Amino acid sequence: DARTAEAAVAAFGSARMVAATEPLVALLDRRDPMSRHRALRIRALQALAELGDPAVLPRIKQFFRTWFALVSPEERRAAYASLEFYPAPARRPWVRQGLRASDRVVRETCLRLNADADGPDESR
């Protein structure tokens, strides 16, 4: 059941279950060409962000591609939005890349994150 799977993934993130990192990344590594699991994949991106492990970012780099990405625009936008929960130094390269994206939502998200990084609170 899709709703049960989404609830389980949400619980992993909110409970900060670090052991869930590998299964979440494995879920995101699988292709979803028909977007049947889009909501679950977006929730997995959010759960990983709640865990906040910057080592995950290079492992999910396919969500930050702006050209010839095999992920839906919604998934890409969710990935960029999730960068807010990672430490500023770890997210910086992805934010810089997003500033050049053709997707207006991604660019606006990255502009906000870039401005936040320039502010006084970089401790996230």
Side-chain angles (χ1 to χ4, degrees), residues 1-120:
D1 179 26
R3 285 188 221 172
T4 304
E6 285 180 50
V9 168
F12 293 151
S14 60
R16 307 242 189 254
M17 298 175 115
V18 177
T21 301
E22 291 305 317
L24 291 172
V25 171
L27 175 94
L28 294 171
D29 280 343
R30 289 185 294 208
R31 292 189 55 215
D32 186 27
M34 303 302 283
S35 294
R36 291 185 180 139
H37 305 288
R38 181 185 308 153
L40 178 61
R41 290 163 58 89
I42 289 172
R43 191 57 200 121
L45 288 165
Q46 293 166 343
L48 285 171
E50 290 173 8
L51 295 174
D53 180 4
V56 168
L57 291 172
R59 297 180 62 197
I60 60 169
K61 65 184 174 192
Q62 69 272 22
F63 290 90
F64 300 108
R65 281 184 156 165
T66 54
W67 293 98
F68 193 66
L70 296 175
V71 299
S72 71
E74 293 85 0
E75 291 171 335
R76 185 173 43 259
R77 290 172 181 161
Y80 274 100
S82 75
L83 288 173
E84 177 179 2
F85 296 95
Y86 292 96
R91 71 179 182 220
R92 189 169 291 124
W94 310 108
V95 169
R96 285 186 186 143
Q97 180 177 324
L99 289 171
R100 297 184 306 268
S102 60
D103 186 325
R104 180 184 55 82
V105 174
V106 168
R107 275 195 324 272
E108 288 174 358
T109 299
C110 290
L111 281 169
R112 182 179 50 80
L113 291 173
N114 199 41
D116 288 350
D118 293 338

